[in-house]
Amino acid sequence: QTDDMKSIRLSLPVALFLLAGCDAGLSTYYKTGAQVSRLKTDTVNCEVKALKDAPVAMQTRQRAPIFYPGTQICNGATCYYRPGFWVDGGFYTVDVNQGLRERVLDQCMAQKGYQPVNLPRCSPQIVAAAPPARTRILPKLNEQSCAIRYEDGSWQIVTPVAPTVSE
């Protein structure tokens, strides 16, 4: 590493965001010390509030038609023109309130003290070294925090501790 790289210091949210882009780990709301059961209850309550405040509003929209220009075809002494034609661009639907609903959810969770975090998936070495235990209380996070997902949908947050050098 260069001296420039060593001097770069990232805040925890920025570091977690950058790490999350690499792998589909755990994306959740977070409040250190909160019980996971409370997090789930708060999330459902805020999702219901967001759905009430910004209900699903599907709109059908039409894409622009596509024009394929005509061509002139010549073979020997004669030429003819094949005319152009239009092709329907098709229809699609969009929920115009989706973005607003996500902002209402984020705001509701923030009012309860949570903030969104993205934790990367733990490496196979960390998974092998960590004793299996589902997270029940959200621990304090640092730049090395990662998540282990279990088949039942539960997860474990692991914060590896760097070994200390004894003198």
Side-chain angles (χ1 to χ4, degrees), residues 129-140:
R134 277 125 180 96
T135 296
R136 303 220 185 285
I137 296 182
L138 300 176
K140 186 173 181 179

Side-chain angles (χ1 to χ4, degrees), residues 46-89:
C46 285
E47 287 171 341
V48 169
K49 178 188 181 333
L51 194 55
K52 286 179 183 176
D53 291 352
V56 175
M58 300 304 287
Q59 287 185 358
T60 301
R61 297 184 177 173
Q62 184 176 11
R63 291 182 190 91
I66 302 166
F67 181 72
Y68 292 94
T71 57
Q72 183 178 11
I73 301 170
C74 296
N75 58 3
T78 62
C79 291
Y80 67 95
Y81 181 76
R82 181 173 291 161
F85 60 96
W86 289 92
V87 174
D88 180 20

Side-chain angles (χ1 to χ4, degrees), residues 4 10 23-24 37 41 43 52 78 90 92 101 116-117 129 150 158 164:
D4 290 339
L10 298 175
D23 191 353
S37 60
T41 300
T43 302
K52 286 179 183 176
T78 62
Y92 64 98
R101 195 167 39 257
V117 297
Y150 293 108
V158 179
T164 57

Side-chain angles (χ1 to χ4, degrees), residues 14 36 39 44 51 61 67 82 90 92 111 123 131-132 139 152:
V14 172
V36 172
L39 165 66
V44 168
L51 194 55
R61 297 184 177 173
F67 181 72
R82 181 173 291 161
Y92 64 98
Q111 288 171 347
S123 69
D152 65 357

